[in-house]
Amino acid sequence: MTARFAGKIAVVTGGAAGLGRAIALAFAREGADLILVDINEQGLSDTAAEIRALGVNAETYRVDLSVEAEIKALGADILSKHDSVDVLVNNAGLAYNDIARGFADLSMERWLYFFAINSVSPVILALALRPALAKAKGVIINQSSMAANQPATAYGITKATLNSMTYALANQLGGDGIRANSVEPGIMETTASHDALGEDKMVALRSTQLMANEGGTADDIANLHVFLASPEGRFINNEVISCDGGNRMRGWRY
Ligand SMILES: NC(=O)c1ccc[n+]([C@@H]2O[C@H](COP(=O)([O-])OP(=O)(O)OC[C@H]3O[C@@H](n4cnc5c(N)ncnc54)[C@H](O)[C@@H]3O)[C@@H](O)[C@H]2O)c1
C-alpha cells in the first residue's frame, strides 16, 4: 500500500454507497482517515467498517444535505475535532427517478430541492469547512456528471450549476490556497445506476460508448479523485474533468 495520504483527512459525502464508497475506500487505501457523510445510516456503518479494516479511522455523520442547519452543524462538529481537512469530496447527489426525467410536471419546490442537494449543499459545506481546508491547503472535488455537458433534464442542469459552483469556489477560496475541481463520470456501473436504468439499458448504453461495450467502474472515478487530491495533482485547479470513456458529447431524447 502506498501512503500518500497518511495522516491526512478526507471528507466524503454520499459515502454510504456507490461511487462515494469507492472514493472513500480509495483514500483509505492511501492511508487517509475518513469522515463519511450520508443520510443512509446503514450504508455509512458498512463503509466505515470496510475502511477501519484497512487500519485507518472512519467517522460517520448522518446528515440530510438538503438542510442548511444540518450542514452547518456538521461543519462545526468537524472543526471542533480537526483543525485541518485535506480533501472534501462533494459526491452525494440525486441522480435517478424524477430528477432525470422530463420536467413538465416538476413543481418549483421539487426543483429547489434538487438544486439544494446537487448544487448548493457542496458550497455550504465547503464554506463551513473553510478554515480547516485553508490550514491544509486542501482540495474540493465536486462530483458532477457527463450530463452537465448537454443538460436535458433537471439532473444535468443541477450538475452544470455544480460546475459553475466549482469555478466560483476556485475563485473565492483560491486566496486561501484551496483548489476546486469537478469530476464528470459517464455511465458507471454502480448498484444505484443498475437499479435505476435496468440491465437492458445498461447493455444498450455500453454498446454505444466510444469504447464499445466497456463499462465504467466506480474505481475509475475513485482513482481520478485520488490523483486530483494527491501531490501529483497540486497544480490542477478550476477544472472540470471527464471520466466517461469519451462519451461526454452524447445526448439522448427524454
Ligand atoms: N453512477 C453513475 O453512473 C454516475 C454518473 C455520473 C454522475 N454520478 C454522480 O455520482 C454521485 C454518486 O452516484 P451513485 O451512482 O454512487 O449513486 P448513489 O445513489 O449510490 O449515491 C448517492 C449517495 O448520496 C446520498 N444522498 C442522497 N441524498 C442525500 C441527502 N439529502 N443527504 C445526504 N446524503 C444524500 C445517498 O444516500 C447515496 O448514498 C452522484 O452525485 C451522481 O449524480 C453518478
Side-chain angles (χ1 to χ4, degrees), residues 14-20 37-40 63-66 91-96 113 117-118 143-146 155 159 185-190 192-193:
L19 301 186
V37 179
D38 208 291
I39 202 166
N40 170 353
V63 170
D64 182 344
L65 291 164
S66 71
N91 161 80
L94 303 174
Y96 309 106
Y113 179 72
I117 295 173
N118 282 11
Q143 189 80 295
S144 181
S145 170
M146 171 177 81
Y155 176 63
K159 293 295 190 179
I187 294 156
M188 316 311 288
E189 314 265 349
T190 62
S193 63

PDB file of all heavy atoms in Angstrom, residues 14-20 37-40 63-66 91-96 113 117-118 143-146 155 159 185-190 192-193, ligand 1:
ATOM      1  N   GLY A  14     -22.014  11.274   0.614  1.00  0.00           N
ATOM      2  CA  GLY A  14     -22.543  10.168  -0.171  1.00  0.00           C
ATOM      3  C   GLY A  14     -21.659   8.943  -0.037  1.00  0.00           C
ATOM      4  O   GLY A  14     -21.578   8.114  -0.948  1.00  0.00           O
ATOM      5  N   GLY A  15     -21.004   8.817   1.109  1.00  0.00           N
ATOM      6  CA  GLY A  15     -20.046   7.730   1.308  1.00  0.00           C
ATOM      7  C   GLY A  15     -20.683   6.400   1.674  1.00  0.00           C
ATOM      8  O   GLY A  15     -19.992   5.411   1.893  1.00  0.00           O
ATOM      9  N   ALA A  16     -22.008   6.366   1.728  1.00  0.00           N
ATOM     10  CA  ALA A  16     -22.689   5.132   2.141  1.00  0.00           C
ATOM     11  C   ALA A  16     -22.754   4.086   1.043  1.00  0.00           C
ATOM     12  O   ALA A  16     -23.011   2.913   1.322  1.00  0.00           O
ATOM     13  CB  ALA A  16     -24.115   5.474   2.609  1.00  0.00           C
ATOM     14  N   ALA A  17     -22.540   4.491  -0.203  1.00  0.00           N
ATOM     15  CA  ALA A  17     -22.776   3.546  -1.308  1.00  0.00           C
ATOM     16  C   ALA A  17     -22.034   3.997  -2.556  1.00  0.00           C
ATOM     17  O   ALA A  17     -21.442   5.078  -2.591  1.00  0.00           O
ATOM     18  CB  ALA A  17     -24.277   3.471  -1.601  1.00  0.00           C
ATOM     19  N   GLY A  18     -22.089   3.146  -3.576  1.00  0.00           N
ATOM     20  CA  GLY A  18     -21.715   3.504  -4.938  1.00  0.00           C
ATOM     21  C   GLY A  18     -20.369   4.196  -5.080  1.00  0.00           C
ATOM     22  O   GLY A  18     -19.349   3.772  -4.530  1.00  0.00           O
ATOM     23  N   LEU A  19     -20.362   5.283  -5.845  1.00  0.00           N
ATOM     24  CA  LEU A  19     -19.105   5.975  -6.133  1.00  0.00           C
ATOM     25  C   LEU A  19     -18.485   6.534  -4.860  1.00  0.00           C
ATOM     26  O   LEU A  19     -17.257   6.514  -4.701  1.00  0.00           O
ATOM     27  CB  LEU A  19     -19.345   7.112  -7.139  1.00  0.00           C
ATOM     28  CG  LEU A  19     -19.941   6.723  -8.506  1.00  0.00           C
ATOM     29  CD1 LEU A  19     -19.975   7.935  -9.432  1.00  0.00           C
ATOM     30  CD2 LEU A  19     -19.161   5.590  -9.148  1.00  0.00           C
ATOM     31  N   GLY A  20     -19.322   7.042  -3.958  1.00  0.00           N
ATOM     32  CA  GLY A  20     -18.796   7.631  -2.721  1.00  0.00           C
ATOM     33  C   GLY A  20     -18.069   6.600  -1.876  1.00  0.00           C
ATOM     34  O   GLY A  20     -17.002   6.883  -1.307  1.00  0.00           O
ATOM     35  N   VAL A  37     -20.158  11.141   5.236  1.00  0.00           N
ATOM     36  CA  VAL A  37     -21.410  11.866   5.446  1.00  0.00           C
ATOM     37  C   VAL A  37     -22.461  11.279   4.513  1.00  0.00           C
ATOM     38  O   VAL A  37     -22.211  11.114   3.315  1.00  0.00           O
ATOM     39  CB  VAL A  37     -21.219  13.371   5.113  1.00  0.00           C
ATOM     40  CG1 VAL A  37     -22.515  14.124   5.315  1.00  0.00           C
ATOM     41  CG2 VAL A  37     -20.084  13.973   5.928  1.00  0.00           C
ATOM     42  N   ASP A  38     -23.626  10.964   5.063  1.00  0.00           N
ATOM     43  CA  ASP A  38     -24.705  10.457   4.213  1.00  0.00           C
ATOM     44  C   ASP A  38     -26.002  10.500   5.021  1.00  0.00           C
ATOM     45  O   ASP A  38     -25.981  10.688   6.251  1.00  0.00           O
ATOM     46  CB  ASP A  38     -24.420   9.022   3.751  1.00  0.00           C
ATOM     47  CG  ASP A  38     -25.068   8.681   2.417  1.00  0.00           C
ATOM     48  OD1 ASP A  38     -26.316   8.578   2.376  1.00  0.00           O
ATOM     49  OD2 ASP A  38     -24.350   8.518   1.410  1.00  0.00           O
ATOM     50  N   ILE A  39     -27.102  10.285   4.318  1.00  0.00           N
ATOM     51  CA  ILE A  39     -28.389  10.186   5.005  1.00  0.00           C
ATOM     52  C   ILE A  39     -28.717   8.726   5.335  1.00  0.00           C
ATOM     53  O   ILE A  39     -29.616   8.441   6.116  1.00  0.00           O
ATOM     54  CB  ILE A  39     -29.489  10.826   4.115  1.00  0.00           C
ATOM     55  CG1 ILE A  39     -30.696  11.233   4.946  1.00  0.00           C
ATOM     56  CG2 ILE A  39     -29.848   9.936   2.939  1.00  0.00           C
ATOM     57  CD1 ILE A  39     -31.640  12.161   4.201  1.00  0.00           C
ATOM     58  N   ASN A  40     -27.934   7.823   4.748  1.00  0.00           N
ATOM     59  CA  ASN A  40     -28.171   6.376   4.868  1.00  0.00           C
ATOM     60  C   ASN A  40     -27.258   5.799   5.963  1.00  0.00           C
ATOM     61  O   ASN A  40     -26.072   5.544   5.733  1.00  0.00           O
ATOM     62  CB  ASN A  40     -27.892   5.739   3.505  1.00  0.00           C
ATOM     63  CG  ASN A  40     -27.873   4.219   3.536  1.00  0.00           C
ATOM     64  OD1 ASN A  40     -27.938   3.596   4.593  1.00  0.00           O
ATOM     65  ND2 ASN A  40     -27.772   3.630   2.365  1.00  0.00           N
ATOM     66  N   VAL A  63     -26.389  12.958   7.997  1.00  0.00           N
ATOM     67  CA  VAL A  63     -26.770  14.350   7.730  1.00  0.00           C
ATOM     68  C   VAL A  63     -27.668  14.384   6.493  1.00  0.00           C
ATOM     69  O   VAL A  63     -27.408  13.676   5.515  1.00  0.00           O
ATOM     70  CB  VAL A  63     -25.509  15.217   7.467  1.00  0.00           C
ATOM     71  CG1 VAL A  63     -25.870  16.596   6.940  1.00  0.00           C
ATOM     72  CG2 VAL A  63     -24.675  15.339   8.744  1.00  0.00           C
ATOM     73  N   ASP A  64     -28.712  15.212   6.555  1.00  0.00           N
ATOM     74  CA  ASP A  64     -29.522  15.474   5.363  1.00  0.00           C
ATOM     75  C   ASP A  64     -28.970  16.735   4.711  1.00  0.00           C
ATOM     76  O   ASP A  64     -29.119  17.839   5.233  1.00  0.00           O
ATOM     77  CB  ASP A  64     -30.993  15.664   5.750  1.00  0.00           C
ATOM     78  CG  ASP A  64     -31.869  15.879   4.520  1.00  0.00           C
ATOM     79  OD1 ASP A  64     -31.335  16.188   3.434  1.00  0.00           O
ATOM     80  OD2 ASP A  64     -33.103  15.743   4.657  1.00  0.00           O
ATOM     81  N   LEU A  65     -28.339  16.563   3.567  1.00  0.00           N
ATOM     82  CA  LEU A  65     -27.643  17.679   2.912  1.00  0.00           C
ATOM     83  C   LEU A  65     -28.603  18.662   2.248  1.00  0.00           C
ATOM     84  O   LEU A  65     -28.151  19.661   1.687  1.00  0.00           O
ATOM     85  CB  LEU A  65     -26.627  17.137   1.897  1.00  0.00           C
ATOM     86  CG  LEU A  65     -25.435  16.427   2.533  1.00  0.00           C
ATOM     87  CD1 LEU A  65     -24.677  15.593   1.498  1.00  0.00           C
ATOM     88  CD2 LEU A  65     -24.482  17.425   3.194  1.00  0.00           C
ATOM     89  N   SER A  66     -29.900  18.409   2.332  1.00  0.00           N
ATOM     90  CA  SER A  66     -30.852  19.421   1.837  1.00  0.00           C
ATOM     91  C   SER A  66     -31.174  20.444   2.928  1.00  0.00           C
ATOM     92  O   SER A  66     -31.899  21.408   2.677  1.00  0.00           O
ATOM     93  CB  SER A  66     -32.148  18.758   1.349  1.00  0.00           C
ATOM     94  OG  SER A  66     -32.893  18.254   2.435  1.00  0.00           O
ATOM     95  N   ASN A  91     -19.743  14.343  -3.135  1.00  0.00           N
ATOM     96  CA  ASN A  91     -20.214  13.302  -4.059  1.00  0.00           C
ATOM     97  C   ASN A  91     -21.706  13.022  -3.928  1.00  0.00           C
ATOM     98  O   ASN A  91     -22.336  12.588  -4.892  1.00  0.00           O
ATOM     99  CB  ASN A  91     -19.406  12.022  -3.799  1.00  0.00           C
ATOM    100  CG  ASN A  91     -20.104  10.795  -4.354  1.00  0.00           C
ATOM    101  OD1 ASN A  91     -20.045  10.515  -5.557  1.00  0.00           O
ATOM    102  ND2 ASN A  91     -20.810  10.053  -3.493  1.00  0.00           N
ATOM    103  N   ALA A  92     -22.294  13.273  -2.755  1.00  0.00           N
ATOM    104  CA  ALA A  92     -23.713  12.929  -2.566  1.00  0.00           C
ATOM    105  C   ALA A  92     -24.552  13.651  -3.603  1.00  0.00           C
ATOM    106  O   ALA A  92     -24.268  14.799  -3.961  1.00  0.00           O
ATOM    107  CB  ALA A  92     -24.175  13.335  -1.162  1.00  0.00           C
ATOM    108  N   GLY A  93     -25.570  12.980  -4.088  1.00  0.00           N
ATOM    109  CA  GLY A  93     -26.422  13.642  -5.060  1.00  0.00           C
ATOM    110  C   GLY A  93     -27.604  12.792  -5.428  1.00  0.00           C
ATOM    111  O   GLY A  93     -27.637  11.588  -5.184  1.00  0.00           O
ATOM    112  N   LEU A  94     -28.570  13.461  -6.019  1.00  0.00           N
ATOM    113  CA  LEU A  94     -29.726  12.780  -6.591  1.00  0.00           C
ATOM    114  C   LEU A  94     -29.459  12.616  -8.080  1.00  0.00           C
ATOM    115  O   LEU A  94     -29.120  13.590  -8.758  1.00  0.00           O
ATOM    116  CB  LEU A  94     -30.986  13.616  -6.388  1.00  0.00           C
ATOM    117  CG  LEU A  94     -31.322  13.969  -4.937  1.00  0.00           C
ATOM    118  CD1 LEU A  94     -32.515  14.927  -4.898  1.00  0.00           C
ATOM    119  CD2 LEU A  94     -31.621  12.712  -4.137  1.00  0.00           C
ATOM    120  N   ALA A  95     -29.627  11.384  -8.580  1.00  0.00           N
ATOM    121  CA  ALA A  95     -29.296  11.140  -9.987  1.00  0.00           C
ATOM    122  C   ALA A  95     -30.387  10.385 -10.725  1.00  0.00           C
ATOM    123  O   ALA A  95     -30.346  10.305 -11.949  1.00  0.00           O
ATOM    124  CB  ALA A  95     -27.987  10.362 -10.071  1.00  0.00           C
ATOM    125  N   TYR A  96     -31.312   9.844  -9.990  1.00  0.00           N
ATOM    126  CA  TYR A  96     -32.244   8.916 -10.619  1.00  0.00           C
ATOM    127  C   TYR A  96     -33.683   9.334 -10.315  1.00  0.00           C
ATOM    128  O   TYR A  96     -33.931  10.263  -9.562  1.00  0.00           O
ATOM    129  CB  TYR A  96     -31.954   7.493 -10.120  1.00  0.00           C
ATOM    130  CG  TYR A  96     -30.484   7.136 -10.265  1.00  0.00           C
ATOM    131  CD1 TYR A  96     -29.648   7.077  -9.151  1.00  0.00           C
ATOM    132  CD2 TYR A  96     -29.917   6.940 -11.518  1.00  0.00           C
ATOM    133  CE1 TYR A  96     -28.288   6.801  -9.295  1.00  0.00           C
ATOM    134  CE2 TYR A  96     -28.568   6.669 -11.664  1.00  0.00           C
ATOM    135  CZ  TYR A  96     -27.753   6.593 -10.555  1.00  0.00           C
ATOM    136  OH  TYR A  96     -26.409   6.332 -10.697  1.00  0.00           O
ATOM    137  N   TYR A 113     -35.438  21.688  -4.321  1.00  0.00           N
ATOM    138  CA  TYR A 113     -34.889  20.570  -3.549  1.00  0.00           C
ATOM    139  C   TYR A 113     -33.704  19.946  -4.311  1.00  0.00           C
ATOM    140  O   TYR A 113     -32.649  19.678  -3.728  1.00  0.00           O
ATOM    141  CB  TYR A 113     -36.000  19.540  -3.311  1.00  0.00           C
ATOM    142  CG  TYR A 113     -35.585  18.319  -2.545  1.00  0.00           C
ATOM    143  CD1 TYR A 113     -35.308  18.385  -1.182  1.00  0.00           C
ATOM    144  CD2 TYR A 113     -35.483  17.078  -3.179  1.00  0.00           C
ATOM    145  CE1 TYR A 113     -34.931  17.249  -0.474  1.00  0.00           C
ATOM    146  CE2 TYR A 113     -35.118  15.944  -2.490  1.00  0.00           C
ATOM    147  CZ  TYR A 113     -34.836  16.023  -1.139  1.00  0.00           C
ATOM    148  OH  TYR A 113     -34.467  14.906  -0.447  1.00  0.00           O
ATOM    149  N   ILE A 117     -29.617  19.978  -2.968  1.00  0.00           N
ATOM    150  CA  ILE A 117     -28.717  18.841  -2.723  1.00  0.00           C
ATOM    151  C   ILE A 117     -27.565  18.822  -3.736  1.00  0.00           C
ATOM    152  O   ILE A 117     -26.395  18.697  -3.368  1.00  0.00           O
ATOM    153  CB  ILE A 117     -29.494  17.512  -2.764  1.00  0.00           C
ATOM    154  CG1 ILE A 117     -30.496  17.475  -1.616  1.00  0.00           C
ATOM    155  CG2 ILE A 117     -28.538  16.321  -2.706  1.00  0.00           C
ATOM    156  CD1 ILE A 117     -31.442  16.293  -1.641  1.00  0.00           C
ATOM    157  N   ASN A 118     -27.889  18.927  -5.022  1.00  0.00           N
ATOM    158  CA  ASN A 118     -26.863  18.696  -6.051  1.00  0.00           C
ATOM    159  C   ASN A 118     -25.956  19.894  -6.303  1.00  0.00           C
ATOM    160  O   ASN A 118     -24.821  19.712  -6.751  1.00  0.00           O
ATOM    161  CB  ASN A 118     -27.539  18.303  -7.377  1.00  0.00           C
ATOM    162  CG  ASN A 118     -27.981  16.850  -7.389  1.00  0.00           C
ATOM    163  OD1 ASN A 118     -27.983  16.191  -6.369  1.00  0.00           O
ATOM    164  ND2 ASN A 118     -28.373  16.355  -8.551  1.00  0.00           N
ATOM    165  N   GLN A 143     -18.528  16.138  -7.370  1.00  0.00           N
ATOM    166  CA  GLN A 143     -18.915  15.048  -8.280  1.00  0.00           C
ATOM    167  C   GLN A 143     -20.028  15.554  -9.195  1.00  0.00           C
ATOM    168  O   GLN A 143     -21.181  15.676  -8.800  1.00  0.00           O
ATOM    169  CB  GLN A 143     -19.417  13.857  -7.456  1.00  0.00           C
ATOM    170  CG  GLN A 143     -19.639  12.600  -8.258  1.00  0.00           C
ATOM    171  CD  GLN A 143     -18.330  11.855  -8.506  1.00  0.00           C
ATOM    172  OE1 GLN A 143     -17.428  12.328  -9.182  1.00  0.00           O
ATOM    173  NE2 GLN A 143     -18.211  10.679  -7.925  1.00  0.00           N
ATOM    174  N   SER A 144     -19.635  15.880 -10.405  1.00  0.00           N
ATOM    175  CA  SER A 144     -20.595  16.371 -11.390  1.00  0.00           C
ATOM    176  C   SER A 144     -21.095  15.193 -12.223  1.00  0.00           C
ATOM    177  O   SER A 144     -21.289  14.093 -11.706  1.00  0.00           O
ATOM    178  CB  SER A 144     -19.916  17.458 -12.238  1.00  0.00           C
ATOM    179  OG  SER A 144     -20.792  17.972 -13.184  1.00  0.00           O
ATOM    180  N   SER A 145     -21.280  15.390 -13.506  1.00  0.00           N
ATOM    181  CA  SER A 145     -21.755  14.310 -14.376  1.00  0.00           C
ATOM    182  C   SER A 145     -21.533  14.679 -15.827  1.00  0.00           C
ATOM    183  O   SER A 145     -21.583  15.862 -16.204  1.00  0.00           O
ATOM    184  CB  SER A 145     -23.251  14.063 -14.170  1.00  0.00           C
ATOM    185  OG  SER A 145     -23.738  13.195 -15.175  1.00  0.00           O
ATOM    186  N   MET A 146     -21.362  13.656 -16.644  1.00  0.00           N
ATOM    187  CA  MET A 146     -21.374  13.813 -18.100  1.00  0.00           C
ATOM    188  C   MET A 146     -22.602  14.596 -18.546  1.00  0.00           C
ATOM    189  O   MET A 146     -22.556  15.352 -19.514  1.00  0.00           O
ATOM    190  CB  MET A 146     -21.392  12.409 -18.699  1.00  0.00           C
ATOM    191  CG  MET A 146     -21.604  12.301 -20.161  1.00  0.00           C
ATOM    192  SD  MET A 146     -21.508  10.579 -20.680  1.00  0.00           S
ATOM    193  CE  MET A 146     -23.140  10.002 -20.252  1.00  0.00           C
ATOM    194  N   TYR A 155     -31.583  17.026 -13.782  1.00  0.00           N
ATOM    195  CA  TYR A 155     -30.318  16.432 -13.313  1.00  0.00           C
ATOM    196  C   TYR A 155     -29.111  17.126 -13.941  1.00  0.00           C
ATOM    197  O   TYR A 155     -28.219  17.622 -13.238  1.00  0.00           O
ATOM    198  CB  TYR A 155     -30.304  14.931 -13.628  1.00  0.00           C
ATOM    199  CG  TYR A 155     -29.007  14.258 -13.264  1.00  0.00           C
ATOM    200  CD1 TYR A 155     -28.571  14.212 -11.948  1.00  0.00           C
ATOM    201  CD2 TYR A 155     -28.196  13.680 -14.248  1.00  0.00           C
ATOM    202  CE1 TYR A 155     -27.367  13.611 -11.606  1.00  0.00           C
ATOM    203  CE2 TYR A 155     -26.994  13.069 -13.918  1.00  0.00           C
ATOM    204  CZ  TYR A 155     -26.590  13.038 -12.596  1.00  0.00           C
ATOM    205  OH  TYR A 155     -25.398  12.443 -12.258  1.00  0.00           O
ATOM    206  N   LYS A 159     -26.170  19.662 -12.331  1.00  0.00           N
ATOM    207  CA  LYS A 159     -24.737  19.337 -12.404  1.00  0.00           C
ATOM    208  C   LYS A 159     -23.976  20.414 -13.173  1.00  0.00           C
ATOM    209  O   LYS A 159     -22.815  20.706 -12.853  1.00  0.00           O
ATOM    210  CB  LYS A 159     -24.539  17.950 -13.030  1.00  0.00           C
ATOM    211  CG  LYS A 159     -25.066  16.796 -12.174  1.00  0.00           C
ATOM    212  CD  LYS A 159     -24.308  16.647 -10.858  1.00  0.00           C
ATOM    213  CE  LYS A 159     -24.685  15.363 -10.129  1.00  0.00           C
ATOM    214  NZ  LYS A 159     -23.943  15.184  -8.862  1.00  0.00           N
ATOM    215  N   PRO A 185     -18.289  11.899 -14.113  1.00  0.00           N
ATOM    216  CA  PRO A 185     -18.386  10.493 -14.506  1.00  0.00           C
ATOM    217  C   PRO A 185     -19.334  10.336 -15.697  1.00  0.00           C
ATOM    218  O   PRO A 185     -20.271  11.116 -15.866  1.00  0.00           O
ATOM    219  CB  PRO A 185     -18.997   9.810 -13.269  1.00  0.00           C
ATOM    220  CG  PRO A 185     -18.835  10.782 -12.152  1.00  0.00           C
ATOM    221  CD  PRO A 185     -18.852  12.140 -12.788  1.00  0.00           C
ATOM    222  N   GLY A 186     -19.057   9.301 -16.491  1.00  0.00           N
ATOM    223  CA  GLY A 186     -20.027   8.903 -17.516  1.00  0.00           C
ATOM    224  C   GLY A 186     -21.003   7.927 -16.891  1.00  0.00           C
ATOM    225  O   GLY A 186     -21.446   8.115 -15.760  1.00  0.00           O
ATOM    226  N   ILE A 187     -21.313   6.870 -17.619  1.00  0.00           N
ATOM    227  CA  ILE A 187     -22.229   5.876 -17.067  1.00  0.00           C
ATOM    228  C   ILE A 187     -21.393   4.829 -16.350  1.00  0.00           C
ATOM    229  O   ILE A 187     -20.672   4.061 -16.983  1.00  0.00           O
ATOM    230  CB  ILE A 187     -23.081   5.256 -18.177  1.00  0.00           C
ATOM    231  CG1 ILE A 187     -23.974   6.358 -18.736  1.00  0.00           C
ATOM    232  CG2 ILE A 187     -23.910   4.084 -17.653  1.00  0.00           C
ATOM    233  CD1 ILE A 187     -24.435   6.137 -20.107  1.00  0.00           C
ATOM    234  N   MET A 188     -21.449   4.881 -15.019  1.00  0.00           N
ATOM    235  CA  MET A 188     -20.611   3.998 -14.229  1.00  0.00           C
ATOM    236  C   MET A 188     -21.477   2.884 -13.643  1.00  0.00           C
ATOM    237  O   MET A 188     -22.648   3.079 -13.318  1.00  0.00           O
ATOM    238  CB  MET A 188     -19.935   4.764 -13.082  1.00  0.00           C
ATOM    239  CG  MET A 188     -19.350   6.105 -13.463  1.00  0.00           C
ATOM    240  SD  MET A 188     -18.300   6.141 -14.949  1.00  0.00           S
ATOM    241  CE  MET A 188     -16.839   5.317 -14.382  1.00  0.00           C
ATOM    242  N   GLU A 189     -20.855   1.738 -13.474  1.00  0.00           N
ATOM    243  CA  GLU A 189     -21.599   0.566 -13.016  1.00  0.00           C
ATOM    244  C   GLU A 189     -21.675   0.589 -11.493  1.00  0.00           C
ATOM    245  O   GLU A 189     -20.776   0.118 -10.811  1.00  0.00           O
ATOM    246  CB  GLU A 189     -20.894  -0.709 -13.490  1.00  0.00           C
ATOM    247  CG  GLU A 189     -20.470  -0.659 -14.940  1.00  0.00           C
ATOM    248  CD  GLU A 189     -21.481  -1.279 -15.881  1.00  0.00           C
ATOM    249  OE1 GLU A 189     -22.419  -1.940 -15.389  1.00  0.00           O
ATOM    250  OE2 GLU A 189     -21.340  -1.095 -17.097  1.00  0.00           O
ATOM    251  N   THR A 190     -22.743   1.193 -10.967  1.00  0.00           N
ATOM    252  CA  THR A 190     -22.982   1.140  -9.523  1.00  0.00           C
ATOM    253  C   THR A 190     -24.331   0.464  -9.297  1.00  0.00           C
ATOM    254  O   THR A 190     -25.138   0.338 -10.217  1.00  0.00           O
ATOM    255  CB  THR A 190     -23.017   2.551  -8.893  1.00  0.00           C
ATOM    256  OG1 THR A 190     -24.100   3.291  -9.460  1.00  0.00           O
ATOM    257  CG2 THR A 190     -21.723   3.304  -9.121  1.00  0.00           C
ATOM    258  N   ALA A 192     -26.793   1.672  -7.755  1.00  0.00           N
ATOM    259  CA  ALA A 192     -27.871   2.637  -7.996  1.00  0.00           C
ATOM    260  C   ALA A 192     -28.137   2.806  -9.486  1.00  0.00           C
ATOM    261  O   ALA A 192     -29.296   2.870  -9.912  1.00  0.00           O
ATOM    262  CB  ALA A 192     -27.516   3.975  -7.357  1.00  0.00           C
ATOM    263  N   SER A 193     -27.076   2.892 -10.296  1.00  0.00           N
ATOM    264  CA  SER A 193     -27.310   3.085 -11.735  1.00  0.00           C
ATOM    265  C   SER A 193     -27.940   1.835 -12.340  1.00  0.00           C
ATOM    266  O   SER A 193     -28.827   1.936 -13.194  1.00  0.00           O
ATOM    267  CB  SER A 193     -26.018   3.487 -12.466  1.00  0.00           C
ATOM    268  OG  SER A 193     -25.047   2.475 -12.376  1.00  0.00           O
TER     269      SER A 193
HETATM  270  N1  LIG B   1     -23.215   6.105 -11.218  1.00  0.00           N
HETATM  271  C1  LIG B   1     -23.151   6.878 -12.290  1.00  0.00           C
HETATM  272  O1  LIG B   1     -23.232   6.387 -13.412  1.00  0.00           O
HETATM  273  C2  LIG B   1     -22.945   8.387 -12.153  1.00  0.00           C
HETATM  274  C3  LIG B   1     -22.667   9.106 -13.319  1.00  0.00           C
HETATM  275  C4  LIG B   1     -22.468  10.480 -13.243  1.00  0.00           C
HETATM  276  C5  LIG B   1     -22.516  11.112 -12.007  1.00  0.00           C
HETATM  277  N2  LIG B   1     -22.802  10.393 -10.878  1.00  0.00           N
HETATM  278  C6  LIG B   1     -22.872  11.114  -9.593  1.00  0.00           C
HETATM  279  O2  LIG B   1     -22.106  10.434  -8.632  1.00  0.00           O
HETATM  280  C7  LIG B   1     -22.700  10.579  -7.347  1.00  0.00           C
HETATM  281  C8  LIG B   1     -22.923   9.206  -6.716  1.00  0.00           C
HETATM  282  O3  LIG B   1     -23.715   8.423  -7.592  1.00  0.00           O
HETATM  283  P1  LIG B   1     -24.001   6.860  -7.316  1.00  0.00           P
HETATM  284  O4  LIG B   1     -24.300   6.231  -8.609  1.00  0.00           O
HETATM  285  O5  LIG B   1     -22.926   6.306  -6.450  1.00  0.00           O
HETATM  286  O6  LIG B   1     -25.397   6.959  -6.555  1.00  0.00           O
HETATM  287  P2  LIG B   1     -25.860   6.516  -5.089  1.00  0.00           P
HETATM  288  O7  LIG B   1     -27.307   6.808  -5.051  1.00  0.00           O
HETATM  289  O8  LIG B   1     -25.395   5.148  -4.780  1.00  0.00           O
HETATM  290  O9  LIG B   1     -25.062   7.513  -4.135  1.00  0.00           O
HETATM  291  C9  LIG B   1     -25.546   8.767  -3.750  1.00  0.00           C
HETATM  292  C10 LIG B   1     -25.431   8.901  -2.256  1.00  0.00           C
HETATM  293  O10 LIG B   1     -25.903  10.206  -1.872  1.00  0.00           O
HETATM  294  C11 LIG B   1     -26.672  10.054  -0.704  1.00  0.00           C
HETATM  295  N3  LIG B   1     -27.642  11.143  -0.562  1.00  0.00           N
HETATM  296  C12 LIG B   1     -28.689  11.410  -1.387  1.00  0.00           C
HETATM  297  N4  LIG B   1     -29.409  12.433  -0.885  1.00  0.00           N
HETATM  298  C13 LIG B   1     -28.794  12.830   0.264  1.00  0.00           C
HETATM  299  C14 LIG B   1     -29.063  13.834   1.231  1.00  0.00           C
HETATM  300  N5  LIG B   1     -30.130  14.638   1.132  1.00  0.00           N
HETATM  301  N6  LIG B   1     -28.224  13.960   2.267  1.00  0.00           N
HETATM  302  C15 LIG B   1     -27.162  13.132   2.411  1.00  0.00           C
HETATM  303  N7  LIG B   1     -26.862  12.166   1.525  1.00  0.00           N
HETATM  304  C16 LIG B   1     -27.674  12.011   0.463  1.00  0.00           C
HETATM  305  C17 LIG B   1     -27.383   8.712  -0.869  1.00  0.00           C
HETATM  306  O11 LIG B   1     -27.867   8.189   0.345  1.00  0.00           O
HETATM  307  C18 LIG B   1     -26.294   7.867  -1.519  1.00  0.00           C
HETATM  308  O12 LIG B   1     -25.527   7.158  -0.570  1.00  0.00           O
HETATM  309  C19 LIG B   1     -23.987  11.387  -7.540  1.00  0.00           C
HETATM  310  O13 LIG B   1     -23.732  12.761  -7.286  1.00  0.00           O
HETATM  311  C20 LIG B   1     -24.276  11.190  -9.018  1.00  0.00           C
HETATM  312  O14 LIG B   1     -25.007  12.256  -9.589  1.00  0.00           O
HETATM  313  C21 LIG B   1     -23.021   9.046 -10.926  1.00  0.00           C
END
